[in-house]
Amino acid sequence: MRCPDCEQVDPLVFDTTRLWFHVPTQDSFDKLTNLCDRKGIQMEKLDDRCISLTLSGSECNAFVVALYGNMTQHELKNVRVLTTDGKDPGALDIGRVVNGDVFVNRIKGSWIIEKVCDGQVETWYQPIYDFQDLDTPFGMEALLRMRDQNGAIIPADYVFRVAGDADVLFSIDLIARATAVETAAKAGYLGKIFVNFNPSSVYDPAYCLRTTAAAINDLGLKPSDIVFEITETERITDIDHLKGILNFYRRAGFMCALDDIGSGWSGLNLLHTFNPDFVKLDMELIRDIDTDMFKQSIVRNLINIAKDQGIKVIAEGIETQGEADFLKKTGADLAQGYLYSRPAPVATHQDKAPDWFRAA
């Protein structure tokens, strides 16, 4: 699933970095020039809204911290920044212009971005079982994991938040998906692979489909082995674009799932709009459902709606046998949660259940 053009994150800082700042107001211009004066940074005033300066890599990091402390978030959003590796900008550098807040966040989060782009990521998997067969998983959800310098796991939500703030969510999301599929395929996993798909990282499917399909074929998989799971549905802003992307992939044989159904009206609306192959019930609905009659009523209706449309229902976040018993009795098709298995590296699942994997 590799697509080098899509995964590339252009660097903003070099050993010697030339920077151009264009600011919208005189007040912002004064803040920027006064900051340079206080830091003893030589600058060239190109006009009353634009300056240029040259910094080393380490000086860039210190300058960004100071810039972040001297301008408001609103001001940074309206600043335009261009950097080059010490050279005058050329025509092709026009695509490297970023907003000031993106520039600051890209530098602040550079250590995470570098880890991801260098392949220093892991994929852990959590099994999804058919309620009628709890011995063999129907599929596994792939979950991004990354470690800090001390080896501790960094929460995936934090990684994606940093990526979003730095305007590289598209590249990071694609790398995470590619790593998830490659890791499971190389381990010889035999079930479906649920791969998270963030709607904020929408892209042109025609550009990437050929690369994706060819890579999956090379890994010995079929498109029907992959389920794109749409996460953070409440953030979807361009429904028509996302619907087009999903239709494009489904026609190529891939499957799709909607996450967190039941968390709001938008989720129900998306259920009608996208008609996915699977829906995942929101975990808040699952918690203590065996003793909460209000939740029971909601879930019964959601399951009935899904079944009327031929959509399989996944109950996610099951932690107790009582929750599992109610959901199975009510008609949920698939089960996922700590009651059955916690997320773990693929090697852990291979050791515990070698039958899930193709023999080496």
Side-chain angles (χ1 to χ4, degrees):
M1 293 179 69
R2 294 295 183 186
C3 181
D5 290 339
C6 300
E7 293 179 16
Q8 179 178 342
V9 177
D10 292 330
L12 295 182
V13 175
F14 309 89
D15 291 339
T16 300
T17 305
R18 287 192 66 187
L19 305 95
W20 288 261
F21 289 88
H22 184 275
V23 296
T25 66
Q26 185 63 49
D27 183 55
S28 295
F29 185 78
D30 290 343
K31 286 182 178 179
L32 185 58
T33 55
N34 289 338
L35 173 62
C36 291
D37 287 338
R38 291 197 304 274
K39 293 290 185 182
I41 297 172
Q42 291 187 344
M43 60 182 163
E44 180 182 0
K45 297 181 181 180
L46 303 178
D47 60 27
D48 61 355
R49 292 290 185 273
C50 185
I51 69 168
S52 172
L53 54 145
T54 301
L55 300 172
S56 68
S58 59
E59 288 173 331
C60 267
N61 290 327
F63 182 77
V64 161
V65 172
L67 184 66
Y68 189 67
N70 279 267
M71 285 192 174
T72 66
Q73 190 73 7
H74 177 73
E75 287 175 313
L76 285 171
K77 282 181 179 292
N78 291 287
V79 173
R80 301 294 179 265
V81 184
L82 170 64
T83 70
T84 70
D85 57 348
K87 305 172 185 175
D88 288 333
L92 297 180
D93 288 313
I94 190 67
R96 294 173 51 80
V97 176
V98 297
N99 293 349
D101 61 328
V102 170
F103 172 70
V104 168
N105 287 315
R106 184 84 63 86
I107 306 306
K108 286 168 56 184
S110 60
W111 65 279
I112 283 182
I113 296 168
E114 289 170 3
K115 276 180 173 287
V116 173
C117 292
D118 289 344
Q120 298 181 46
V121 296
E122 304 173 32
T123 304
W124 287 19
Y125 300 87
Q126 186 174 32
I128 299 170
Y129 295 90
D130 190 316
F131 266 119
Q132 306 306 318
D133 179 9
L134 295 174
D135 294 323
T136 304
F138 172 84
M140 292 203 297
E141 180 182 358
L143 301 164
L144 174 73
R145 294 291 185 266
M146 185 186 302
R147 299 180 186 274
D148 64 16
Q149 61 271 25
N150 298 316
I153 293 292
I154 305 170
D157 286 349
Y158 177 73
V159 174
F160 284 113
R161 186 168 67 250
V162 169
D165 290 343
D167 198 28
V168 293
L169 181 60
F170 169 68
S171 297
I172 303 302
D173 198 43
L174 185 60
I175 291 169
R177 294 199 302 271
T179 302
V181 173
E182 290 171 1
T183 302
K186 290 176 181 177
Y189 175 63
L190 297 171
K192 292 189 182 298
I193 306 167
F194 285 69
V195 183
N196 289 330
F197 175 91
N198 192 305
S200 301
S201 63
V202 293
Y203 55 96
D204 178 3
Y207 183 72
C208 292
L209 178 60
R210 182 168 60 183
T211 302
T212 301
I216 285 175
N217 182 68
D218 290 343
L219 290 168
L221 301 175
K222 305 182 298 295
S224 59
D225 294 326
I226 309 300
V227 182
F228 288 115
E229 182 176 329
I230 306 168
T231 63
E232 300 190 22
T233 51
E234 76 281 359
R235 297 190 182 186
I236 296 174
T237 56
D238 192 339
I239 289 179
D240 289 333
H241 191 190
L242 182 56
K243 186 177 180 180
I245 289 172
L246 294 179
N247 285 342
F248 203 98
Y249 274 82
R250 290 176 76 180
R251 286 168 186 162
F254 297 92
M255 306 182 81
C256 77
L258 278 182
D259 198 13
D260 294 337
I261 293 300
S263 60
W265 169 249
S266 62
L268 292 176
N269 220 16
L270 294 175
L271 185 63
H272 170 263
T273 301
F274 294 135
N275 192 31
D277 301 287
F278 306 91
V279 293
K280 280 191 170 184
L281 298 176
D282 182 49
M283 283 194 285
E284 287 302 313
L285 285 177
I286 302 300
R287 191 64 54 248
D288 300 321
I289 192 171
D290 52 317
T291 59
D292 190 319
M293 294 182 66
F294 184 69
K295 289 182 178 180
Q296 291 175 7
S297 179
I298 295 173
V299 167
R300 282 195 190 97
N301 282 285
L302 288 173
I303 290 175
N304 287 336
I305 292 170
K307 285 190 175 296
D308 284 346
Q309 302 302 315
I311 301 169
K312 287 190 175 294
V313 177
I314 303 172
E316 182 180 27
I318 299 174
E319 294 187 355
T320 70
Q321 191 60 51
E323 293 168 351
D325 291 342
F326 174 82
L327 291 160
K328 180 180 179 180
K329 181 178 66 176
T330 308
D333 300 288
L334 303 165
Q336 179 181 4
Y338 285 179
L339 177 64
Y340 307 104
S341 179
R342 290 176 177 267
V346 70
T348 300
H349 295 299
Q350 284 178 301
D351 290 340
K352 289 183 177 179
D355 291 346
W356 300 357
F357 298 85
R358 187 180 299 108

